[in-house]
Amino acid sequence: MNFAGQRQWTAAFSTEALCARILDRHRDTVRVQKPHVAVANLARIIEATLKLSNKQGFHATSLRDLAQASGLSMGGLYSYFDNKRTLLSMILGEVSTTVSEVLRAAPEGTADDPLGHLKWLIETHIRLTEAMQPWFVFAYMEAKSFPAAERRMAVDSEAATEEIFAAILRQGVASGKFAVADIELTASLIKPLLQDWYVKRAKYRKRSTSVEQYIDAVTEIVAATVLPRG
Amino acid sequence: MNFAGQRQWTAAFSTEALCARILDRHRDTVRVQKPHVAVANLARIIEATLKLSNKQGFHATSLRDLAQASGLSMGGLYSYFDNKRTLLSMILGEVSTTVSEVLRAAPEGTADDPLGHLKWLIETHIRLTEAMQPWFVFAYMEAKSFPAAERRMAVDSEAATEEIFAAILRQGVASGKFAVADIELTASLIKPLLQDWYVKRAKYRKRSTSVEQYIDAVTEIVAATVLPRG
DNA sequence: AGAGAAAACGAGCGCTCGCTCGATTTTTGA
DNA sequence: TCAAAAATCGAGCGAGCGCTCGTTTTCTCT
């Protein structure tokens, strides 16, 4: 992933691109045949869902609201999902598969450079959540009210991310480059630092904090924590 | 605040004690006259509200659920609030006044000891959220769907807490005891470290992480971040 | 051009929601 | 002791929910 060439990112994580992947995964429940029609309408539906749900919550967003905001009719919506809960897992599923795909694609040469790998992970995670901000806000905010299956999916996804961090910390400690007392607990505490960027996004926007500033600040905190003092 | 004598804390932040303060602040909307009856029933109502809302969300919790869980009737509930939204602001109001009261009561001698003050703040904040865990989970989770007035209240409360941290960082930097590049951003990032304890409480319980371990880990991260490297 | 398929439509169904209010029970005080 | 006051009750209201399905519109292909 090259952060200088941001055009690739915005294209790869556009609503259209993400909805094309959702369509692939839900071909059986989407009753509209022609892919370009299906993707276009799915994009409108999901854009409306994210917009409304992030304001008032998914549960409080009615299908009538959704129909109006997406420009489809009540019945039209039901050509794209069989019930409201399915719409929810479409979005959640896309978030969790994307995050695990992206975070596992570390560049070469990080194998014996734990600090470099750690910095790459922090930057990539924050840039990804920036590119897919409404999606991450949605997944984070609605996670508590997910039905059991989707809830487990969210918890597992979070645990997987945490384990990626824990593995790097373990490797750094083993090679003597890091000094960390409680690896699991430290790995746990990195996550909320990354999440704050999209969870409290309004605050940072108001203060005009840039992504770069935010990445630097988190990187500095993590580095100060894991590097041996002296 | 003495953490060794935890009996004082559990008494001061019991549901009954908190509901007595809520009653004071909402005497005009509670139609039941006798205080001991009003406090007892308010406690049952709010305990039920916290329990059900933290499982399924406040919006998804119906007043019929609430009536059954609290042992009152539908009509009975409405002797204690005039509408569902009022019930919400009762809880939110109690959380935000309590947190600001407690955090401002730093022990003497912290004026010229920024690191000591910082550590006290971290420990006190985490202990408070531990004592009032369901209340904080509720306030955090439901904040997004608050009506405008309550939402502003929540944002202001968060900003106030952050400013307390920022002030200490500023003082520490001024006296040369701390080295912090971006004071406001660093103060912002301390908050999510404290919040993770109650937001992801299930995770830490599963790993049997103790409050003390958690306090130590956060304290260590913050200290490593603000102290000059040397 | 026009028939058959695909897509979109939206009024209406059963249901549950927040909330009310007259009836009923419990408490109070002379 | 017993009537007035306080507290509680729960069936019932209109509104809005998720979802369906007979109908209409739009597209496709010869």
Side-chain angles (χ1 to χ4, degrees), chain B residues 34 61-64 74 78 83-84:
Chain B
K34 298 173 62 175
T61 302
S62 74
L63 291 169
R64 283 165 184 84
M74 286 288 293
Y78 277 83
N83 62 62
K84 203 186 176 193

PDB file of all heavy atoms in Angstrom, chain B residues 34 61-64 74 78 83-84, chain C residues 16-22 27-28:
ATOM      1  N   LYS B  34     -43.480  10.973  48.917  1.00  0.00           N
ATOM      2  CA  LYS B  34     -42.636  10.471  50.004  1.00  0.00           C
ATOM      3  C   LYS B  34     -41.267  10.036  49.484  1.00  0.00           C
ATOM      4  O   LYS B  34     -41.170   9.112  48.672  1.00  0.00           O
ATOM      5  CB  LYS B  34     -43.339   9.300  50.698  1.00  0.00           C
ATOM      6  CG  LYS B  34     -44.670   9.726  51.327  1.00  0.00           C
ATOM      7  CD  LYS B  34     -45.464   8.582  51.871  1.00  0.00           C
ATOM      8  CE  LYS B  34     -44.754   7.848  52.968  1.00  0.00           C
ATOM      9  NZ  LYS B  34     -45.615   6.794  53.577  1.00  0.00           N
ATOM     10  N   THR B  61     -35.330  -1.009  24.239  1.00  0.00           N
ATOM     11  CA  THR B  61     -35.951  -1.407  25.501  1.00  0.00           C
ATOM     12  C   THR B  61     -37.305  -0.719  25.635  1.00  0.00           C
ATOM     13  O   THR B  61     -37.379   0.505  25.707  1.00  0.00           O
ATOM     14  CB  THR B  61     -35.047  -1.019  26.683  1.00  0.00           C
ATOM     15  OG1 THR B  61     -33.774  -1.642  26.518  1.00  0.00           O
ATOM     16  CG2 THR B  61     -35.653  -1.456  27.999  1.00  0.00           C
ATOM     17  N   SER B  62     -38.376  -1.501  25.665  1.00  0.00           N
ATOM     18  CA  SER B  62     -39.707  -0.907  25.728  1.00  0.00           C
ATOM     19  C   SER B  62     -40.098  -0.640  27.174  1.00  0.00           C
ATOM     20  O   SER B  62     -39.543  -1.217  28.107  1.00  0.00           O
ATOM     21  CB  SER B  62     -40.725  -1.827  25.085  1.00  0.00           C
ATOM     22  OG  SER B  62     -40.987  -2.924  25.925  1.00  0.00           O
ATOM     23  N   LEU B  63     -41.069   0.232  27.345  1.00  0.00           N
ATOM     24  CA  LEU B  63     -41.535   0.542  28.696  1.00  0.00           C
ATOM     25  C   LEU B  63     -42.254  -0.652  29.308  1.00  0.00           C
ATOM     26  O   LEU B  63     -42.330  -0.774  30.532  1.00  0.00           O
ATOM     27  CB  LEU B  63     -42.441   1.772  28.648  1.00  0.00           C
ATOM     28  CG  LEU B  63     -41.651   3.045  28.317  1.00  0.00           C
ATOM     29  CD1 LEU B  63     -42.571   4.193  28.005  1.00  0.00           C
ATOM     30  CD2 LEU B  63     -40.739   3.411  29.474  1.00  0.00           C
ATOM     31  N   ARG B  64     -42.764  -1.537  28.481  1.00  0.00           N
ATOM     32  CA  ARG B  64     -43.366  -2.757  29.016  1.00  0.00           C
ATOM     33  C   ARG B  64     -42.291  -3.671  29.600  1.00  0.00           C
ATOM     34  O   ARG B  64     -42.465  -4.245  30.677  1.00  0.00           O
ATOM     35  CB  ARG B  64     -44.168  -3.479  27.921  1.00  0.00           C
ATOM     36  CG  ARG B  64     -45.515  -2.829  27.651  1.00  0.00           C
ATOM     37  CD  ARG B  64     -46.153  -3.299  26.367  1.00  0.00           C
ATOM     38  NE  ARG B  64     -47.406  -2.590  26.091  1.00  0.00           N
ATOM     39  CZ  ARG B  64     -47.475  -1.408  25.498  1.00  0.00           C
ATOM     40  NH1 ARG B  64     -46.366  -0.802  25.110  1.00  0.00           N
ATOM     41  NH2 ARG B  64     -48.641  -0.824  25.296  1.00  0.00           N
ATOM     42  N   MET B  74     -47.140  -0.034  33.910  1.00  0.00           N
ATOM     43  CA  MET B  74     -46.913   1.015  32.910  1.00  0.00           C
ATOM     44  C   MET B  74     -47.209   2.399  33.481  1.00  0.00           C
ATOM     45  O   MET B  74     -46.397   3.313  33.391  1.00  0.00           O
ATOM     46  CB  MET B  74     -47.849   0.777  31.720  1.00  0.00           C
ATOM     47  CG  MET B  74     -47.449  -0.368  30.838  1.00  0.00           C
ATOM     48  SD  MET B  74     -45.995   0.046  29.897  1.00  0.00           S
ATOM     49  CE  MET B  74     -46.644   1.320  28.835  1.00  0.00           C
ATOM     50  N   TYR B  78     -44.842   6.149  34.949  1.00  0.00           N
ATOM     51  CA  TYR B  78     -45.039   7.549  34.585  1.00  0.00           C
ATOM     52  C   TYR B  78     -45.286   8.466  35.785  1.00  0.00           C
ATOM     53  O   TYR B  78     -45.526   9.655  35.616  1.00  0.00           O
ATOM     54  CB  TYR B  78     -46.152   7.667  33.539  1.00  0.00           C
ATOM     55  CG  TYR B  78     -45.620   7.413  32.147  1.00  0.00           C
ATOM     56  CD1 TYR B  78     -45.473   6.129  31.656  1.00  0.00           C
ATOM     57  CD2 TYR B  78     -45.207   8.470  31.351  1.00  0.00           C
ATOM     58  CE1 TYR B  78     -44.958   5.894  30.401  1.00  0.00           C
ATOM     59  CE2 TYR B  78     -44.687   8.252  30.089  1.00  0.00           C
ATOM     60  CZ  TYR B  78     -44.566   6.959  29.617  1.00  0.00           C
ATOM     61  OH  TYR B  78     -44.042   6.727  28.382  1.00  0.00           O
ATOM     62  N   ASN B  83     -41.701  11.368  30.305  1.00  0.00           N
ATOM     63  CA  ASN B  83     -41.558  10.595  29.068  1.00  0.00           C
ATOM     64  C   ASN B  83     -40.228   9.873  29.055  1.00  0.00           C
ATOM     65  O   ASN B  83     -39.367  10.108  29.896  1.00  0.00           O
ATOM     66  CB  ASN B  83     -41.742  11.478  27.826  1.00  0.00           C
ATOM     67  CG  ASN B  83     -40.692  12.554  27.740  1.00  0.00           C
ATOM     68  OD1 ASN B  83     -39.516  12.273  27.639  1.00  0.00           O
ATOM     69  ND2 ASN B  83     -41.139  13.803  27.825  1.00  0.00           N
ATOM     70  N   LYS B  84     -40.061   8.988  28.087  1.00  0.00           N
ATOM     71  CA  LYS B  84     -38.910   8.097  28.070  1.00  0.00           C
ATOM     72  C   LYS B  84     -37.591   8.876  28.009  1.00  0.00           C
ATOM     73  O   LYS B  84     -36.589   8.473  28.586  1.00  0.00           O
ATOM     74  CB  LYS B  84     -39.033   7.159  26.861  1.00  0.00           C
ATOM     75  CG  LYS B  84     -38.259   5.855  26.995  1.00  0.00           C
ATOM     76  CD  LYS B  84     -38.304   5.040  25.700  1.00  0.00           C
ATOM     77  CE  LYS B  84     -37.451   3.789  25.794  1.00  0.00           C
ATOM     78  NZ  LYS B  84     -37.241   3.154  24.476  1.00  0.00           N
TER      79      LYS B  84
ATOM     80  P    DT C  16     -46.412  -8.244  19.031  1.00  0.00           P
ATOM     81  OP1  DT C  16     -45.512  -9.351  19.371  1.00  0.00           O
ATOM     82  OP2  DT C  16     -47.777  -8.157  19.607  1.00  0.00           O
ATOM     83  O5'  DT C  16     -45.669  -6.885  19.376  1.00  0.00           O
ATOM     84  C5'  DT C  16     -44.549  -6.487  18.599  1.00  0.00           C
ATOM     85  C4'  DT C  16     -44.235  -5.040  18.905  1.00  0.00           C
ATOM     86  O4'  DT C  16     -45.202  -4.188  18.241  1.00  0.00           O
ATOM     87  C3'  DT C  16     -44.297  -4.695  20.396  1.00  0.00           C
ATOM     88  O3'  DT C  16     -43.144  -3.946  20.715  1.00  0.00           O
ATOM     89  C2'  DT C  16     -45.583  -3.901  20.520  1.00  0.00           C
ATOM     90  C1'  DT C  16     -45.662  -3.226  19.163  1.00  0.00           C
ATOM     91  N1   DT C  16     -47.029  -2.802  18.717  1.00  0.00           N
ATOM     92  C2   DT C  16     -47.196  -1.553  18.173  1.00  0.00           C
ATOM     93  O2   DT C  16     -46.288  -0.765  18.030  1.00  0.00           O
ATOM     94  N3   DT C  16     -48.479  -1.263  17.779  1.00  0.00           N
ATOM     95  C4   DT C  16     -49.593  -2.080  17.891  1.00  0.00           C
ATOM     96  O4   DT C  16     -50.693  -1.704  17.496  1.00  0.00           O
ATOM     97  C5   DT C  16     -49.346  -3.380  18.484  1.00  0.00           C
ATOM     98  C7   DT C  16     -50.492  -4.344  18.651  1.00  0.00           C
ATOM     99  C6   DT C  16     -48.095  -3.676  18.862  1.00  0.00           C
ATOM    100  P    DC C  17     -42.730  -3.514  22.181  1.00  0.00           P
ATOM    101  OP1  DC C  17     -41.372  -4.000  22.420  1.00  0.00           O
ATOM    102  OP2  DC C  17     -43.830  -3.884  23.100  1.00  0.00           O
ATOM    103  O5'  DC C  17     -42.690  -1.925  22.077  1.00  0.00           O
ATOM    104  C5'  DC C  17     -41.938  -1.310  21.036  1.00  0.00           C
ATOM    105  C4'  DC C  17     -42.456   0.092  20.806  1.00  0.00           C
ATOM    106  O4'  DC C  17     -43.750   0.022  20.180  1.00  0.00           O
ATOM    107  C3'  DC C  17     -42.699   0.888  22.085  1.00  0.00           C
ATOM    108  O3'  DC C  17     -41.516   1.570  22.441  1.00  0.00           O
ATOM    109  C2'  DC C  17     -43.789   1.860  21.671  1.00  0.00           C
ATOM    110  C1'  DC C  17     -44.498   1.167  20.506  1.00  0.00           C
ATOM    111  N1   DC C  17     -45.895   0.708  20.806  1.00  0.00           N
ATOM    112  C2   DC C  17     -46.975   1.536  20.496  1.00  0.00           C
ATOM    113  O2   DC C  17     -46.744   2.652  20.006  1.00  0.00           O
ATOM    114  N3   DC C  17     -48.226   1.102  20.746  1.00  0.00           N
ATOM    115  C4   DC C  17     -48.423  -0.110  21.280  1.00  0.00           C
ATOM    116  N4   DC C  17     -49.682  -0.509  21.505  1.00  0.00           N
ATOM    117  C5   DC C  17     -47.334  -0.967  21.613  1.00  0.00           C
ATOM    118  C6   DC C  17     -46.095  -0.526  21.369  1.00  0.00           C
ATOM    119  P    DG C  18     -41.340   2.121  23.933  1.00  0.00           P
ATOM    120  OP1  DG C  18     -39.895   2.346  24.131  1.00  0.00           O
ATOM    121  OP2  DG C  18     -42.072   1.214  24.830  1.00  0.00           O
ATOM    122  O5'  DG C  18     -42.099   3.508  23.910  1.00  0.00           O
ATOM    123  C5'  DG C  18     -41.703   4.551  23.028  1.00  0.00           C
ATOM    124  C4'  DG C  18     -42.690   5.690  23.136  1.00  0.00           C
ATOM    125  O4'  DG C  18     -44.012   5.186  22.823  1.00  0.00           O
ATOM    126  C3'  DG C  18     -42.813   6.334  24.516  1.00  0.00           C
ATOM    127  O3'  DG C  18     -43.029   7.734  24.353  1.00  0.00           O
ATOM    128  C2'  DG C  18     -43.997   5.613  25.130  1.00  0.00           C
ATOM    129  C1'  DG C  18     -44.887   5.399  23.908  1.00  0.00           C
ATOM    130  N9   DG C  18     -45.767   4.224  24.013  1.00  0.00           N
ATOM    131  C8   DG C  18     -45.412   2.961  24.418  1.00  0.00           C
ATOM    132  N7   DG C  18     -46.403   2.124  24.418  1.00  0.00           N
ATOM    133  C5   DG C  18     -47.493   2.866  23.982  1.00  0.00           C
ATOM    134  C6   DG C  18     -48.853   2.500  23.779  1.00  0.00           C
ATOM    135  O6   DG C  18     -49.383   1.396  23.956  1.00  0.00           O
ATOM    136  N1   DG C  18     -49.628   3.571  23.325  1.00  0.00           N
ATOM    137  C2   DG C  18     -49.144   4.828  23.099  1.00  0.00           C
ATOM    138  N2   DG C  18     -50.031   5.728  22.665  1.00  0.00           N
ATOM    139  N3   DG C  18     -47.878   5.201  23.273  1.00  0.00           N
ATOM    140  C4   DG C  18     -47.108   4.170  23.717  1.00  0.00           C
ATOM    141  P    DC C  19     -43.064   8.714  25.641  1.00  0.00           P
ATOM    142  OP1  DC C  19     -42.748  10.071  25.159  1.00  0.00           O
ATOM    143  OP2  DC C  19     -42.288   8.111  26.737  1.00  0.00           O
ATOM    144  O5'  DC C  19     -44.613   8.694  26.019  1.00  0.00           O
ATOM    145  C5'  DC C  19     -45.588   9.119  25.056  1.00  0.00           C
ATOM    146  C4'  DC C  19     -46.982   8.840  25.557  1.00  0.00           C
ATOM    147  O4'  DC C  19     -47.235   7.418  25.571  1.00  0.00           O
ATOM    148  C3'  DC C  19     -47.295   9.310  26.995  1.00  0.00           C
ATOM    149  O3'  DC C  19     -48.199  10.409  26.921  1.00  0.00           O
ATOM    150  C2'  DC C  19     -47.909   8.096  27.686  1.00  0.00           C
ATOM    151  C1'  DC C  19     -48.269   7.207  26.507  1.00  0.00           C
ATOM    152  N1   DC C  19     -48.334   5.760  26.823  1.00  0.00           N
ATOM    153  C2   DC C  19     -49.546   5.082  26.683  1.00  0.00           C
ATOM    154  O2   DC C  19     -50.545   5.706  26.306  1.00  0.00           O
ATOM    155  N3   DC C  19     -49.606   3.764  26.970  1.00  0.00           N
ATOM    156  C4   DC C  19     -48.520   3.110  27.376  1.00  0.00           C
ATOM    157  N4   DC C  19     -48.628   1.802  27.639  1.00  0.00           N
ATOM    158  C5   DC C  19     -47.267   3.776  27.536  1.00  0.00           C
ATOM    159  C6   DC C  19     -47.220   5.087  27.256  1.00  0.00           C
ATOM    160  P    DT C  20     -48.858  11.065  28.212  1.00  0.00           P
ATOM    161  OP1  DT C  20     -49.068  12.477  27.910  1.00  0.00           O
ATOM    162  OP2  DT C  20     -48.090  10.633  29.404  1.00  0.00           O
ATOM    163  O5'  DT C  20     -50.286  10.371  28.269  1.00  0.00           O
ATOM    164  C5'  DT C  20     -51.130  10.422  27.134  1.00  0.00           C
ATOM    165  C4'  DT C  20     -52.518   9.923  27.489  1.00  0.00           C
ATOM    166  O4'  DT C  20     -52.488   8.492  27.722  1.00  0.00           O
ATOM    167  C3'  DT C  20     -53.140  10.544  28.742  1.00  0.00           C
ATOM    168  O3'  DT C  20     -54.510  10.795  28.461  1.00  0.00           O
ATOM    169  C2'  DT C  20     -52.953   9.455  29.809  1.00  0.00           C
ATOM    170  C1'  DT C  20     -53.099   8.194  28.961  1.00  0.00           C
ATOM    171  N1   DT C  20     -52.421   6.960  29.463  1.00  0.00           N
ATOM    172  C2   DT C  20     -53.120   5.785  29.485  1.00  0.00           C
ATOM    173  O2   DT C  20     -54.284   5.696  29.148  1.00  0.00           O
ATOM    174  N3   DT C  20     -52.402   4.699  29.930  1.00  0.00           N
ATOM    175  C4   DT C  20     -51.087   4.672  30.332  1.00  0.00           C
ATOM    176  O4   DT C  20     -50.558   3.629  30.704  1.00  0.00           O
ATOM    177  C5   DT C  20     -50.404   5.946  30.280  1.00  0.00           C
ATOM    178  C7   DT C  20     -48.974   6.024  30.703  1.00  0.00           C
ATOM    179  C6   DT C  20     -51.089   7.011  29.851  1.00  0.00           C
ATOM    180  P    DC C  21     -55.329  11.899  29.247  1.00  0.00           P
ATOM    181  OP1  DC C  21     -55.873  12.814  28.236  1.00  0.00           O
ATOM    182  OP2  DC C  21     -54.507  12.426  30.368  1.00  0.00           O
ATOM    183  O5'  DC C  21     -56.512  11.059  29.891  1.00  0.00           O
ATOM    184  C5'  DC C  21     -56.918   9.822  29.299  1.00  0.00           C
ATOM    185  C4'  DC C  21     -57.639   8.976  30.346  1.00  0.00           C
ATOM    186  O4'  DC C  21     -56.731   7.944  30.827  1.00  0.00           O
ATOM    187  C3'  DC C  21     -58.081   9.733  31.599  1.00  0.00           C
ATOM    188  O3'  DC C  21     -59.316   9.186  32.035  1.00  0.00           O
ATOM    189  C2'  DC C  21     -56.998   9.439  32.612  1.00  0.00           C
ATOM    190  C1'  DC C  21     -56.665   8.001  32.243  1.00  0.00           C
ATOM    191  N1   DC C  21     -55.296   7.570  32.630  1.00  0.00           N
ATOM    192  C2   DC C  21     -55.014   6.208  32.735  1.00  0.00           C
ATOM    193  O2   DC C  21     -55.898   5.386  32.495  1.00  0.00           O
ATOM    194  N3   DC C  21     -53.773   5.832  33.091  1.00  0.00           N
ATOM    195  C4   DC C  21     -52.823   6.752  33.336  1.00  0.00           C
ATOM    196  N4   DC C  21     -51.616   6.331  33.680  1.00  0.00           N
ATOM    197  C5   DC C  21     -53.103   8.156  33.236  1.00  0.00           C
ATOM    198  C6   DC C  21     -54.337   8.511  32.885  1.00  0.00           C
ATOM    199  P    DG C  22     -60.539  10.211  32.477  1.00  0.00           P
ATOM    200  OP1  DG C  22     -61.122  10.688  31.211  1.00  0.00           O
ATOM    201  OP2  DG C  22     -60.032  11.162  33.488  1.00  0.00           O
ATOM    202  O5'  DG C  22     -61.565   9.216  33.169  1.00  0.00           O
ATOM    203  C5'  DG C  22     -62.135   8.145  32.432  1.00  0.00           C
ATOM    204  C4'  DG C  22     -62.072   6.864  33.235  1.00  0.00           C
ATOM    205  O4'  DG C  22     -60.687   6.521  33.510  1.00  0.00           O
ATOM    206  C3'  DG C  22     -62.765   6.937  34.605  1.00  0.00           C
ATOM    207  O3'  DG C  22     -63.493   5.726  34.812  1.00  0.00           O
ATOM    208  C2'  DG C  22     -61.620   7.101  35.586  1.00  0.00           C
ATOM    209  C1'  DG C  22     -60.527   6.285  34.897  1.00  0.00           C
ATOM    210  N9   DG C  22     -59.167   6.666  35.266  1.00  0.00           N
ATOM    211  C8   DG C  22     -58.665   7.942  35.425  1.00  0.00           C
ATOM    212  N7   DG C  22     -57.399   7.959  35.754  1.00  0.00           N
ATOM    213  C5   DG C  22     -57.037   6.621  35.817  1.00  0.00           C
ATOM    214  C6   DG C  22     -55.787   6.017  36.127  1.00  0.00           C
ATOM    215  O6   DG C  22     -54.718   6.564  36.407  1.00  0.00           O
ATOM    216  N1   DG C  22     -55.859   4.627  36.079  1.00  0.00           N
ATOM    217  C2   DG C  22     -56.992   3.913  35.773  1.00  0.00           C
ATOM    218  N2   DG C  22     -56.871   2.597  35.779  1.00  0.00           N
ATOM    219  N3   DG C  22     -58.169   4.456  35.480  1.00  0.00           N
ATOM    220  C4   DG C  22     -58.112   5.807  35.517  1.00  0.00           C
ATOM    221  P    DT C  27     -49.648   0.243  52.266  1.00  0.00           P
ATOM    222  OP1  DT C  27     -48.205  -0.011  52.193  1.00  0.00           O
ATOM    223  OP2  DT C  27     -50.537  -0.579  53.140  1.00  0.00           O
ATOM    224  O5'  DT C  27     -49.865   1.784  52.635  1.00  0.00           O
ATOM    225  C5'  DT C  27     -49.338   2.787  51.768  1.00  0.00           C
ATOM    226  C4'  DT C  27     -49.733   4.147  52.277  1.00  0.00           C
ATOM    227  O4'  DT C  27     -51.158   4.351  52.095  1.00  0.00           O
ATOM    228  C3'  DT C  27     -49.449   4.394  53.758  1.00  0.00           C
ATOM    229  O3'  DT C  27     -48.654   5.562  53.877  1.00  0.00           O
ATOM    230  C2'  DT C  27     -50.841   4.535  54.393  1.00  0.00           C
ATOM    231  C1'  DT C  27     -51.667   5.038  53.210  1.00  0.00           C
ATOM    232  N1   DT C  27     -53.125   4.730  53.264  1.00  0.00           N
ATOM    233  C2   DT C  27     -54.030   5.771  53.161  1.00  0.00           C
ATOM    234  O2   DT C  27     -53.710   6.923  53.051  1.00  0.00           O
ATOM    235  N3   DT C  27     -55.344   5.389  53.187  1.00  0.00           N
ATOM    236  C4   DT C  27     -55.842   4.092  53.302  1.00  0.00           C
ATOM    237  O4   DT C  27     -57.041   3.871  53.318  1.00  0.00           O
ATOM    238  C5   DT C  27     -54.833   3.057  53.414  1.00  0.00           C
ATOM    239  C7   DT C  27     -55.266   1.624  53.551  1.00  0.00           C
ATOM    240  C6   DT C  27     -53.537   3.418  53.391  1.00  0.00           C
ATOM    241  P    DT C  28     -48.181   6.066  55.335  1.00  0.00           P
ATOM    242  OP1  DT C  28     -46.876   6.702  55.160  1.00  0.00           O
ATOM    243  OP2  DT C  28     -48.377   4.986  56.327  1.00  0.00           O
ATOM    244  O5'  DT C  28     -49.252   7.214  55.610  1.00  0.00           O
ATOM    245  C5'  DT C  28     -49.481   8.210  54.613  1.00  0.00           C
ATOM    246  C4'  DT C  28     -50.559   9.154  55.104  1.00  0.00           C
ATOM    247  O4'  DT C  28     -51.855   8.512  55.021  1.00  0.00           O
ATOM    248  C3'  DT C  28     -50.382   9.611  56.553  1.00  0.00           C
ATOM    249  O3'  DT C  28     -50.405  11.023  56.585  1.00  0.00           O
ATOM    250  C2'  DT C  28     -51.568   8.995  57.296  1.00  0.00           C
ATOM    251  C1'  DT C  28     -52.596   8.831  56.178  1.00  0.00           C
ATOM    252  N1   DT C  28     -53.592   7.726  56.352  1.00  0.00           N
ATOM    253  C2   DT C  28     -54.926   7.989  56.169  1.00  0.00           C
ATOM    254  O2   DT C  28     -55.365   9.091  55.889  1.00  0.00           O
ATOM    255  N3   DT C  28     -55.744   6.904  56.334  1.00  0.00           N
ATOM    256  C4   DT C  28     -55.373   5.603  56.650  1.00  0.00           C
ATOM    257  O4   DT C  28     -56.199   4.706  56.769  1.00  0.00           O
ATOM    258  C5   DT C  28     -53.957   5.403  56.824  1.00  0.00           C
ATOM    259  C7   DT C  28     -53.438   4.037  57.174  1.00  0.00           C
ATOM    260  C6   DT C  28     -53.136   6.455  56.672  1.00  0.00           C
TER     261       DT C  28
END
